[in-house]
Amino acid sequence: MAGQAARAVVRWLSAIVALVLVAHAAAAATAAAGGTEAPMPQSAPPLAADGLRASAPSEQRPPEATFRLLNREIITFRASLAGASPQARAERARVRFRELPESAIDLPLRAVPFSLGGLDGVQLLMGDHLLFGVLAADADVENKQSLDALSKQTLARLEEARAAWHQTRDTPLLLRGLAQAAVATLVLGLLIWVVFLGSRKAVRWIEKVRDRLAVGSARVDWRELLARLTVGTMQLVQWFVLLALGYVWLRTVLASFVATQPLATQLGSWFWGKVQWVADGVLHSLPGIVTLIIVLVLTRAVVDVFGYFFNAVQRGRLQLPFLHPETTSATRRIVSLIVWGLGIAIAYPYLPGASSEAFKGLSVLLGVMVTLGSAGLVTQAMSGLVLIYARALRKGDFVEVNGVQGVVTEVAALATKIINMRNEEITIPNSVLIASPIHNYSKLAGTQGTLLTTKVTIGYDTSWRQVHAMLEEAARRTANVRREPVPYVYQRALSDFYVEYELFVSIDKPLERIPIQSALHASIQDVFNEYGVQIMSPHFLGQPEQAVVVPKGDWFKAPARATPGAAAATGPSA
């Protein structure tokens, strides 16, 4: 795979070299493109290089324009002439050079001074061919450059461009450049192949070390995390190395040809300028970064202090009338959020780039997105806070809400998760919980236990005192039913054919509510069968001749089996 990647890179770089060569040839051809211009005698009236009469510069300074030949800077036009902007002057100079005949390339360069309308300048000619004009207003005022110095500098640069043009026609020099570019490309391809090959071997070695080491604990295995972090860091370094190799290759190829040598110099200046800019930015940002770190460290210390305080409240070491152990986790998160918000607000101005327009625009965009998209989230979060501070439920409680009965596994900021008896996880939004009655069967389990009830209907031919005693006996026979408080029975209704009794018992394990209720029902059936009392469910249209009960001898008919637990649950026979 690395070999294929290297071959692809080599082909790609070869295509770039071909493009560089084409650009080199085009630049060389442009410098000597055809067309002639009528010679202008020395006695001709002074004209601007674009053939227009010189005029006084306007009050508003136009934008500058740089005229280049073979990627070499010749002159920067800073003034306008008779309505011709610096850009127009530079373009007309390019047109004049394209129209020069090849025979005029070796003609001597000279400067002819002129003065018109209070403007001083010189006309630059190659033989009798007009090139362009230079005004005193084109001089660099900041460096106190004179017109004479500017004209001499421009003539020297033109001589350098003419020498470069001749070098582009030098076949041995061009072949040497091609050889240097080819060697640089081959070396780059080899280095890329070495980088990819070394990267693959390093990844394999890291995987072997990961498998050999036993770094981790019972809960967290750090080997995979460390391996991935190492591989990610190595890949980042790999791409930095590839970028550095690409930079060196590009600069070497550009420096191999005369037409593109200035680009190589500019590329080097640009790179080191960016490095210096980054270094200056880091140095200037150091005080702000130190202040930022100090603010964040102090913020973390304040959060830790509050964390110790809330831990003491949650564990009962500290008791305050306005704080409850059930709400300390939510209060700690709210206080931590407020403290971190204040810390970030204080540290924000010291963040590098915080005052830039891009940073400000991004902050505004994020604020608008949060404002538009957080209405529902805020509603759910506020409902979660109300739910927590109302202490209606907590993790591990057995509850019934909105028709769902189960164990609370998570009370989050936006929703609450409940696992029902069918082992289904049900997620209920907090806003729904706030709008629905919550039956918490675990709330009082630590004091009087969770109350569990069941109803039976017995005919009027059975004494209510006997029914009470049998229901209480069934409660005593059922496992996990508390003896204190004592189970009790109420007569809830006197119907046409039967009396409705309700048994109330307390249990210590609210999470086992349904299994205990099932065992209680079994005990009730056994006790009523033992004493020959008929349970009037389902309803009968007429009174049967004998009680509808199951004799004790038939309790374990096939395929039922008697188990020690079942026998103990039934207790002694009547």
Side-chain angles (χ1 to χ4, degrees), residues 307-319 323-330 332-333:
Y308 296 144
F309 169 75
F310 287 114
N311 282 335
V313 174
Q314 189 173 15
R315 296 179 180 179
R317 298 195 302 266
L318 180 63
Q319 296 182 358
L323 279 179
H324 301 279
E326 297 88 348
T327 61
T328 51
S329 297
R332 176 170 53 189
R333 288 195 292 266

Side-chain angles (χ1 to χ4, degrees), residues 451-491:
L451 203 62
L452 179 65
T453 68
T454 186
K455 297 178 182 179
V456 294
T457 54
I458 308 299
Y460 285 98
D461 54 344
T462 304
S463 171
W464 64 268
R465 295 175 180 84
Q466 182 185 15
V467 174
H468 282 213
M470 287 189 295
L471 289 175
E472 293 169 0
E473 175 67 20
R476 287 191 294 269
R477 293 185 183 183
T478 305
N480 297 320
V481 172
R482 296 184 60 166
R483 300 298 179 260
E484 293 291 339
V486 179
Y488 54 94
V489 181
Y490 286 143
Q491 300 180 40

